[in-house]
Amino acid sequence: MVFSSMTFLLLFLPITLLLYSLRSNIKWKNGVLLAASLLFYAWGEPVYILLMLLSVGVNYVCALRIDQSRSKPHLRRLWLIVGVVASTVFLVWFKYAAFLVNSAAGIFSLPFHMAEKKLPIGISFYTFQVLTYTVDVYRKKARVQKNPAWLLLYVSCFPQLIAGPIVQYSDVEGMLLERPFHPVRFSEGARRFVVGLAKKVVLANLCGAAVSLLDPADASLQMSVTGAWYSALMYTMQIYFDFSAYSDMAIGLGRILGFDYKENFNYPYISGSISEFWRRWHISLGSFFRDYVYIPLGGSRKSARRTALNMMIVWSLTGMWHGASWNFILWGMYYGLLMLFERFVIGRKRMENIPYAVRLPVVFLLTVFGWVIFYHTDLTMAARQLMAMIGIGVSEGGMTVLPFINPLTLAVIRKYSFIPLVAAVACLPILPAVKNRLPQNGFTQAASYVLATGLLLISLVFLVGQSFNPFIYFRF
């Protein structure tokens, strides 16, 4: 089940909210939310719910043992290792085993092949979340949760279960025991959810449809320079609106239910540096790798060489987290190298002295190139598109000079002519700036409700007529 489906919008969510609001008792609310979350996850893949239950169960026991072994550091460390290994082994088996085995077989010319496993939805997200609980208990950053049902609720809570944001246990520990549920929060959360829904079904899906018509991986399509750039730019918009929309909907639903989830996106395409981009893009993932990988490795406290190594380890893992394919590893290393270049070659002070008007387009173009690598699991296709963007066509017959534009590209641009303009406005902080300048009175409040209702109706109309409605980050 996905948020942008009629089943969720017209059946699952209304029934869940009705039952949730029947009683003010926190145990009742947690019970309803837990049952709804397990149903939500089991809707499409009921067998994989056992995997999540096992992961939570093992870490529940390990955290209890860690808490009971306060005077025995070696035992505490042992139980931490058991919890971390027990969780990551599931992720490695389903997501990376086939990739690692087949890559090794290819490198050493071994005559065997391992079939890829079907990836349980959301396993990367809930694995990281349950790990934050065990590690936070070990660090004495959070108290051990004695009630296994509440721990399971933290991991399985349906607003952020299958595509984030990654919620650290210490951030919601208190909310599991007490949280508000009243009309003002409901209204704010509902409007945030509707904005995310509109971003997804209108902008992300239309951008994705344009990308599919100019897919460079389709060898039957005649490429052009404009087509290669248009496809790359539309995917740049698609992945932002797709993922940030899900985060908006998750944050909105969380607010309705009384949870305050941290922001996961902050207009990343206005960044003036690569490091700033990653402070604005998928913030929860960056926070996880910083707190649970980079800092434990030593962070920036060691020598420049060690710092560089730590950064490359983190960025390689960031790439691998997104998928078991060489293009994701290359994409992660690409950003790692860019971050090293900014830090050790340009330097922070020199970077700040470069005019923002120069830095902005450079960073954006580097980001677009990165998304081309990210998009193509076949590195040959990634190279083909990157070469096409500079006017060179690559095929079995050799290299050719591509036309600037062709009839197919022109037809796609005409069909989706308004999308780039709307997407450009929506990915910039223009609307929040306008909102902040408006007086906060009854009229603007009423206008916000009218606008949210209009966006909801438009989204429903698009949902009825669309067959293209994927969530990109579900595969991660």
Side-chain angles (χ1 to χ4, degrees), residues 399-416:
M399 294 186 179
T400 59
V401 177
L402 293 178
F404 179 74
I405 197 169
N406 60 17
L408 173 62
T409 302
L410 190 58
V412 172
I413 292 176
R414 285 175 175 171
K415 182 177 181 179
Y416 296 98

Side-chain angles (χ1 to χ4, degrees), residues 33-55:
L33 188 53
L34 176 58
S37 298
L38 295 178
L39 175 62
F40 179 84
Y41 190 78
W43 189 267
E45 297 180 325
V47 67
Y48 288 127
I49 199 170
L50 300 175
L51 189 67
M52 182 173 64
L53 292 173
L54 182 58
S55 179

Side-chain angles (χ1 to χ4, degrees), residues 337-386:
L337 291 172
L338 289 177
M339 297 278 278
L340 289 176
F341 183 80
E342 279 190 356
R343 180 169 187 147
F344 294 110
V345 177
I346 299 178
R348 182 177 300 176
K349 290 185 178 179
R350 192 180 302 171
M351 175 69 75
E352 293 174 352
N353 290 332
I354 301 174
Y356 177 71
V358 174
R359 290 185 284 126
L360 175 65
V362 172
V363 171
F364 182 74
L365 287 177
L366 290 172
T367 304
V368 172
F369 295 148
W371 289 132
V372 172
I373 300 170
F374 186 93
Y375 177 77
H376 295 281
T377 53
D378 185 338
L379 291 178
T380 302
M381 291 297 101
R384 182 177 181 229
Q385 182 168 2
L386 290 171

Side-chain angles (χ1 to χ4, degrees), residues 4-6 197-209 416 418-419 458-470:
S4 57
S5 69
M6 291 299 189
L197 180 65
K199 285 168 66 175
K200 166 58 187 165
V201 301
V202 179
L203 292 175
N205 286 1
L206 288 178
C207 288
Y416 296 98
F418 72 98
I419 289 298
I458 292 171
S459 300
L460 292 175
V461 169
F462 270 77
L463 276 176
V464 170
Q466 282 181 347
S467 58
F468 183 86
N469 189 34

Side-chain angles (χ1 to χ4, degrees), residues 50-68 75-91 123 125-138 142-152 154-155 169 288 292:
L50 300 175
L51 189 67
M52 182 173 64
L53 292 173
L54 182 58
S55 179
V56 172
V58 169
N59 280 271
Y60 170 75
V61 172
C62 289
L64 284 177
R65 295 294 181 265
I66 290 170
D67 186 63
Q68 294 167 359
L75 272 180
R76 297 182 77 251
R77 192 175 299 111
L78 174 62
W79 284 113
L80 172 66
I81 293 171
V82 171
V84 171
V85 171
S87 296
T88 54
V89 73
F90 299 137
L91 180 62
I123 188 172
F125 289 93
Y126 74 68
T127 296
F128 276 19
Q129 290 195 182
V130 76
L131 286 177
T132 70
Y133 166 69
T134 306
V135 174
D136 284 353
V137 170
Y138 175 81
R143 291 172 295 180
V144 68
Q145 176 57 256
K146 301 293 181 64
N147 189 333
W150 290 179
L151 178 61
L152 180 59
Y154 154 66
V155 175
Y169 180 76
F288 177 90
Y292 297 95

